[in-house]
Amino acid sequence: MTSLRARPGPDVRLRRVVVGALDTNCWAVHAAGSPQALLVDPGGEPERILGAVADLQITAIVLTHAHFDHVLAVPDVAAALGAPVLAHPDDAPVWPHELGTLHRLGHFDAGTATADLLAAGHPLRPDPRRRLWDGRVDRPVHDGEVLAVGPLRVQVRHTPGHTPGGVSLLLPGGAGRPGHLLTGDTLFPGGPGLTGWPLSDFRTILASVGELLDLPGDTVVHPGHGPDTTVGAERPALTGWAARGW
Ligand SMILES: [Zn+2]
Ligand SMILES: [Zn+2]
C-alpha cells in the first residue's frame, strides 16, 4: 500500500510579529531552507515587520480579512517589499466600513475592547505620519486556491462569518508532520471570533469553524491574536459554542 503513503511536504517555518493596539499576530510563512515566504496580516508597526522578514523574499501579502488591526501596515509594507496584496473579494465592503466608523466615531471599533483600549491611551486611529491603505487588492483569492510559495503549497479556505470574505490558510501536514492553519479572527483557543459587527454573522462563522475542525486533530492553529492551539483541542467544544451563541 505504499501508493497511499503521504509524501512528506516541506518543513514549515512560521515567524510571528505581534503588532498594534490589539496585539495582532502578523505571520511570515516559508519552507525550511527556502527564503520565499508569504506575509499574513501586516496590522501595524511596519518597521518591525520589515525587520523580522529582512532575510526572506516575500512573494505576496495575504489578508485573512480587512479589519483595521490586520491591514494598517499594508501600504508601507507592500511598497517596501514590492509584493502584491491578496484578499478574498467578499471582504471588499469591510475596509470602507472601518473607515466609515473612524469618520463617525473618531476611532476604529475594536469590539468589546474599544473602551478599555481608549482608556489605556490607544488612539485606535491611523498614525497620520503613515500612508493610509486605499483598500486596493492586487489579486483576489478564492476558496480552494493553492498559493505556491517556493516549495510550499498553501491552501486558501474561505471561512466567512467574522467578516464576509475572511480566509484561513492551510499548510497540510503529512508523514508524521502536523499541518498548520492560520485562522485570522475565525478560530481562537476557546471559540470562534467575534460576530458583533454589521458585516459579521454567528451562524456563518460556526459553519466555517465546523469545517476547519474537520481537519486532522494535530493541525496547529495559529490565530490572528494570542496563542496557538490545535484542531484536536478545540473540536470537542464546538457544540458548546453553538449552544452559547457566541
Ligand atoms: Zn477581525
Ligand atoms: Zn483582529
Side-chain angles (χ1 to χ4, degrees):
M1 297 297 277
T2 51
S3 62
L4 294 180
R5 200 170 59 199
R7 295 237 316 275
D11 206 358
V12 176
R13 293 283 187 270
L14 291 111
R15 292 183 193 176
R16 181 172 79 144
V17 188
V18 180
V19 297
L22 273 66
D23 293 331
T24 302
N25 292 331
C26 171
W27 299 98
V29 187
H30 66 105
S34 167
Q36 291 179 297
L38 276 187
L39 185 71
V40 181
D41 288 353
E45 305 185 58
E47 290 81 8
R48 287 188 54 234
I49 294 171
L50 292 169
V53 301
D55 60 326
L56 299 175
Q57 299 167 14
I58 302 297
T59 58
I61 298 165
V62 184
L63 308 180
T64 63
H65 64 299
H67 276 155
F68 77 93
D69 55 310
H70 296 255
V71 306
L72 279 178
V74 165
D76 287 324
V77 169
L81 298 172
V85 177
L86 281 53
H88 194 284
D90 288 359
D91 241 34
V94 173
W95 183 237
H97 176 80
E98 296 286 84
L99 293 179
T101 303
L102 175 65
H103 185 71
R104 199 172 67 253
L105 303 178
H107 56 79
F108 288 122
D109 178 1
T112 51
T114 304
D116 285 347
L117 287 166
L118 291 171
H122 294 290
L124 299 179
R125 281 192 297 272
D127 185 334
R129 295 164 299 181
R130 299 193 189 281
R131 278 174 285 193
L132 189 61
W133 188 39
D134 61 6
R136 192 168 64 89
V137 169
D138 298 298
R139 188 153 74 74
V141 290
H142 297 95
D143 187 57
E145 188 171 342
V146 176
L147 306 173
V149 188
L152 275 191
R153 297 293 176 267
V154 182
Q155 294 179 16
V156 176
R157 298 288 184 98
H158 183 208
T159 48
H162 179 69
T163 63
V167 297
S168 299
L169 301 171
L170 174 64
L171 299 114
R177 280 194 198 125
H180 294 270
L181 181 68
L182 281 72
T183 55
D185 289 356
T186 295
L187 174 62
F188 294 95
L194 295 175
T195 49
W197 290 274
L199 293 166
S200 307
D201 186 72
F202 178 68
R203 292 172 67 99
T204 305
I205 200 170
L206 208 60
S208 293
V209 166
E211 286 183 23
L212 294 179
L213 293 182
D214 280 338
L215 289 166
D218 64 350
T219 305
V220 184
V221 174
H222 308 275
H225 306 266
D228 295 347
T229 183
T230 63
V231 164
E234 303 305 323
R235 189 187 287 141
L238 180 62
T239 50
W241 301 339
R244 79 184 180 186
W246 55 277

